[in-house]
Amino acid sequence: MDSLATKKPLTIRLCGPRGFCAGVDRAIQIVVLALKSYGAPVYVRHEIVHNRYVVEGLQAKGAIFVEELDEIPPEHRHQPVVFSAHGVPKSVPEDARNRNLFYLDATCPLVSKVHKQAMRHQRLGRHVILIGHAGHPEVIGTMGQLPPGSVSLVETVEDAALYQPEDPDNLGFVTQTTLSVDDTAGVIEKLKERFPNLQSPAADSICYATTNRQEAVKQAAPGCDLFVTVGAPNSSNSKRLVEVALKAGARRSILVQRASELNWDEIGPIRTLGLSAGASAPEVVVNEIIEAFKDRFETTIELAEFTIENENFLVNRELRDIELTHQDMAFVNG
Ligand code: SF4
């Protein structure tokens, strides 16, 4: 670490918006409120949002994370189980009902909206094309809204060029909410070129939070020696921010979960740093990263603010009367 006298100047371009979106905030609130209302343990199926820091913070409060409902011991079946923000296939709530489990669904309302659009296409007799990443829980959840055989996954422009539907005139598409806006436009263009009657969803599937974070990164990244995105390796929207920064002109672009992952030898003598955070990354970790750079550089912070977000999603009806204090959320908001 340099002493004050030898610290080199560093401009940090801090993106806005960054970090938590309304869907992630709501999902974390649901677990916190469920713990307050029903006491520990509260079970959570899959990581509530893709962030270790958040998961560990909730575990410390009494949440237990499971991948499948059969991991919940019978003696705890009256404790709530929360479904993650990514959404679940229809079979999961059905399974919960069959097991007499009490569940709270933390699926982001914007993911539920995509589910409805996919079901609408199918109701109108269209085969559904889902543009997304194979294996992502949101994709599994969206495909699981529809009967087997009625949805096909397309991941890339190459997939779109090769896709062979049974009825090319009767297709509708939706997308995962956290994709790259620009890459997805290319996939849709290729599909529409091949299938001119392809029907769009009634509203964009890529959500406001994904779009806004990518736009702010595009604004901040040109000319940055390094761009740091705070987020987890399994967070789709965080990984897209890393790619967007590189495409927009950052010389290097990396993803880190905590300040301790920063490799100072590799970072070297930078003058301009871009900084953003995926929709599941808490602001306390962004602050931790800023402090780590402040320890080593004489920093100036510039805001690269694309827009201000005011979205706020209500928690489940059962939890609305429980008071949520600043202290309850301090583990993520600082
Ligand atoms: S990234 Fe978008 S879809 Fe996903 S939880 Fe946030 S607001 Fe909802």
Side-chain angles (χ1 to χ4, degrees):
M1 204 183 305
D2 285 344
S3 72
L4 241 185
T6 58
K7 276 183 182 177
K8 300 276 189 309
L10 175 71
T11 302
I12 301 179
R13 294 185 190 158
L14 184 59
C15 290
R18 64 179 174 279
F20 280 6
C21 59
V24 162
D25 203 34
R26 172 181 179 268
I28 297 168
Q29 285 180 26
I30 290 171
V31 181
V32 169
L33 290 171
L35 282 160
K36 279 186 103 169
S37 180
Y38 305 101
V42 164
Y43 287 86
V44 184
R45 186 187 176 277
H46 192 68
E47 288 190 341
I48 184 78
V49 299
H50 284 158
N51 191 279
R52 271 322 295 166
Y53 187 93
V54 172
V55 167
E56 284 166 11
L58 290 171
Q59 277 170 333
K61 287 177 182 286
I64 296 178
F65 288 81
V66 295
E67 281 309 308
E68 295 303 337
L69 299 180
D70 60 12
E71 294 168 46
I72 300 172
E75 64 273 21
H76 283 169
R77 70 164 194 269
H78 299 298
Q79 289 300 109
V81 54
V82 181
F83 301 153
S84 79
H86 314 97
V88 289
K90 273 186 175 165
S91 56
V92 172
E94 195 183 306
D95 185 22
R97 284 190 292 272
N98 291 338
R99 291 172 188 274
N100 283 325
L101 295 172
F102 165 43
Y103 66 84
L104 293 162
D105 192 352
T107 301
C108 174
L110 300 185
V111 173
S112 301
K113 207 159 122 189
V114 174
H115 292 176
K116 288 194 186 97
Q117 297 291 331
M119 288 189 278
R120 181 174 173 273
H121 281 314
Q122 200 250 338
R123 216 173 35 248
L124 294 171
R126 300 171 190 148
H127 183 83
V128 180
I129 298 175
L130 170 60
I131 303 170
H133 298 297
H136 190 278
E138 185 187 322
V139 164
I140 295 169
T142 302
M143 293 183 93
Q145 304 303 307
L146 303 167
S150 59
V151 54
S152 302
L153 183 67
V154 166
E155 293 194 67
T156 59
V157 176
E158 292 72 35
D159 287 353
L162 294 172
Y163 175 57
Q164 295 296 341
E166 267 179 36
D167 182 357
D169 286 326
N170 214 7
L171 298 168
F173 80 88
V174 291
T175 82
Q176 194 178 330
T177 56
T178 51
L179 300 181
S180 150
V181 174
D182 296 338
D183 293 352
T184 308
V187 176
I188 295 170
E189 194 183 308
K190 174 53 77 184
L191 288 169
K192 285 195 166 162
E193 179 190 307
R194 294 188 59 218
F195 313 115
N197 290 332
L198 174 70
Q199 299 298 307
S200 306
D204 276 349
S205 305
I206 296 180
C207 76
Y208 79 95
T210 300
T211 309
N212 290 345
R213 279 153 193 69
Q214 290 179 16
E215 285 303 323
V217 168
K218 280 186 203 168
Q219 204 169 296
C224 283
D225 301 309
L226 176 68
F227 198 98
V228 173
T229 298
V230 184
N234 58 344
S235 159
S236 170
N237 79 86
S238 303
K239 287 193 290 185
R240 300 297 80 78
L241 295 182
V242 177
E243 296 161 4
V244 168
L246 213 51
K247 274 192 193 162
R251 275 185 272 287
R252 276 188 68 211
S253 182
I254 59 170
L255 182 70
V256 294
Q257 301 198 74
R258 298 296 301 265
S260 55
E261 291 177 11
L262 291 165
N263 181 334
W264 297 103
D265 292 336
E266 273 182 19
I267 289 171
I270 56 171
R271 297 184 69 88
T272 310
L273 171 79
L275 183 57
S276 184
S280 43
E283 188 65 7
V284 283
V285 182
V286 176
N287 291 335
E288 179 187 280
I289 304 274
I290 292 174
E291 288 307 314
F293 277 96
K294 276 187 177 169
D295 282 347
R296 289 160 178 84
F297 294 90
E298 199 54 48
T299 56
T300 309
I301 297 186
E302 285 177 0
L303 286 184
E305 196 154 66
F306 170 67
T307 187
I308 294 173
E309 294 175 343
N310 297 310
E311 281 73 7
N312 181 28
F313 300 145
L314 281 179
V315 298
N316 314 51
R317 206 170 296 277
E318 298 91 325
L319 302 171
R320 284 185 201 159
D321 291 338
I322 323 249
E323 195 196 355
L324 187 74
T325 64
H326 176 80
Q327 197 51 35
D328 292 329
M329 296 294 280
F331 74 108
V332 281
N333 295 336

